[in-house]
Amino acid sequence: MVLKIFFPQCCNKADSGLLVGHWLPGQDSAVVLAVIHYPFIPGQVKQYIHQVGCVGVGWKNEEAGGEGKTKEEKTGEEGDKVIFVHYEQRKVMLSQLHPTDPPVPLTQSTSELRQVFGTVSQSESLFFLDKYDDSPVKLTHWQSEGREGSIIVELMKQASTPVCLLTAWILVVCSLSVSVSRILNVFPLRFISSKLCSCVQLSYRTEHLQTVSSPTRATSHTDYMRKANIFMSFLLDVTLGLLLIYWLYRENRVGQLANALLPAADRVAKELEELLQWLMGAPAGLKMNRALDQVLGRFFLYHIHLWISYIHLMSPFIEMILWYVGLSACLGLTFALSLLSDIIALLTFHIYCFYVYGARLYCLKVYGLTSLWRLFRGRKWNVLRQRVDSCSYDMDQLFIGTLLFTILLFLLPTTALYYLVFTLLRMVVVMVQGVLQLTVDFINSFPLFALGLRVFRSYTLAEGVKFSVLCEEPGTPLHLMMDINPLKFSSVVQTYRTATYSCYPKDSWLALCKKLFLGELIYPWRHKTTKID
Amino acid sequence: MQNGEHFGMEDETYTDIDGKAISLECQSHSGFCREFTVSSAKVSISRVMVYTCAVWMTAYIIFFFTEVDHETLLVIGSLGVQVSSSYASGRESTDFIEMDKIKDIVINEAIHMQRVIYYLCILLKDPSDPSGVSSVVPLFQSSKPRLNCLVKVYRSCQEILAKC
């Protein structure tokens, strides 16, 4: 059997002493964690080793510049091969092997690499003593030159607890006040707030802040990364929001926007009116049923007229409203974008209404037609059995049914055209809203911290390891260098994406086409009510 | 009118019947001799060169980032097998498979388009079924060596795998 010894690179140049490490269960390998130098008292060393839970390997490391040649004598079996795998202890200590499972005790069944990584990271207590500590046992390991620490990190750790407590308290107060106001009218407010993107986004962000500001420290790697990602995404959001505010308010762009809004709404209304006039004439050369055409056209024209009157009524307040809405971008760019999406939805409400009217009319017509077509052929829909059965009708039933069928059939093109036009308009608005929602989603879920870690400290997120052969001389054992193979960028994004209420297309293309054909109302973007990863 | 005098370019822009812009230049050589030149915009050769160079540079850059320079198979007995490909840009993509997961290294036959080819591959163990194969990792995908090369590598690998 080949004996594998994982040897830390920092101990290559150490003075001679005792090697301390672990045997890996089930594999023929040992992980060397540190070197205890001469002179030492064996009793104290035994006690220390027992305390930190390692195994003291009782062989000498005749170092000072050379490689330990006496290691092969340990097992005493002839013909044994030894492989030395050199690893950089600091990197292996700080890295996480992916896929990160919940930490299980290292048994025989876990893979060898996972056992190596697990052994090193679980031996933290061994690495506490550095060369400046006054202890009877002198060690060499990755931290023996002095324990690693950074002032910024320490300061942030100290500051984080009171900040977390403060944020949690603020959030509790806010949520209490919101829930108190909600008691007043429960149903309408809840329904409206579930439809408005900005309310959904706000609730989502409060949940995030609650996660981040919990005063308990993150125990597992996944929790830690999640908190860090949420925090970074929040920071990015707020920064972008503040930039947006700066840009908006610097040259009074808000005023310009408000002044441009009313003429824009007027123009949209005018275009719609022209469109309706075109439909009421002979659109694309098609001949419409004049009476129905006039009725529908006039109905929609009056609707537009009402809408424009309402907009004009609101015009003095628009600038003030926009000003305050712009200020709300300090809560984050995502909030501003979702507010924009809501404003677009409100401003194009008449298009939505037209679409609903057109769709309902068309839907009724199609259902009527299918039912009367069945009557035409002497069949009926059996509601009990959910199938089509033959049925004998009376003469007058047949007569009226045929009449109605003919009427509906010849009125179909007119209704279909109106339906088509308004559905297209509605699709345009839905696309715009969808793009905004996708941007918001992207900012919400993008794991900025994980990517930053991957770029600057690629060894922390490890997909696996790489080996390279160091020196090869006949007669000496094989020396390999074990490097960390970092996770690919796509895997980083996939693993550490924050769970979002992402909007995604509810139906496939085929289902969508079928719904369009039948005239059912379409809500193509659906918010997931429960978060998924 | 002096000799060789040009009429000033009038502010009126001229177009041909398709709408493309043309320019009119009137030159008066003498009182009874005038010359008119109508010229249309041409595609200058520098433009053509720039476009051609851009296309070739794009192709070269794509080649640079996707073309595989060499592929390596490192077999370490009782530790595992490392497969790595290095690209023309110097980037290396490595994958290490532990010995516990490896069932065997074999040469497989495959039908690819109109040919039958041989390729070397690693068979991975199925954790639920001890005698089954969960997946196949093909080796030397970009270089696609022939059977003689594969047999040499195969024999060498089998020597190491047999020992541990």
Side-chain angles (χ1 to χ4, degrees), chain B residues 5-16:
Chain B
E5 188 188 88
H6 295 244
F7 273 104
M9 290 286 286
E10 288 143 24
D11 284 338
E12 204 181 323
T13 46
Y14 297 106
T15 54
D16 65 0

Side-chain angles (χ1 to χ4, degrees), chain A residues 2 4 111-113 465-467 480 485, chain B residues 74 76-79 82 94 96 98 100:
Chain A
V2 184
K4 292 161 274 189
S111 78
E112 188 173 1
L113 280 174
V465 290
K466 301 195 262 222
F467 289 95
L480 296 170
N485 198 12
Chain B
L74 178 67
I76 311 167
S78 87
L79 204 55
Q82 173 170 295
T94 324
F96 180 72
E98 295 180 52
D100 292 336

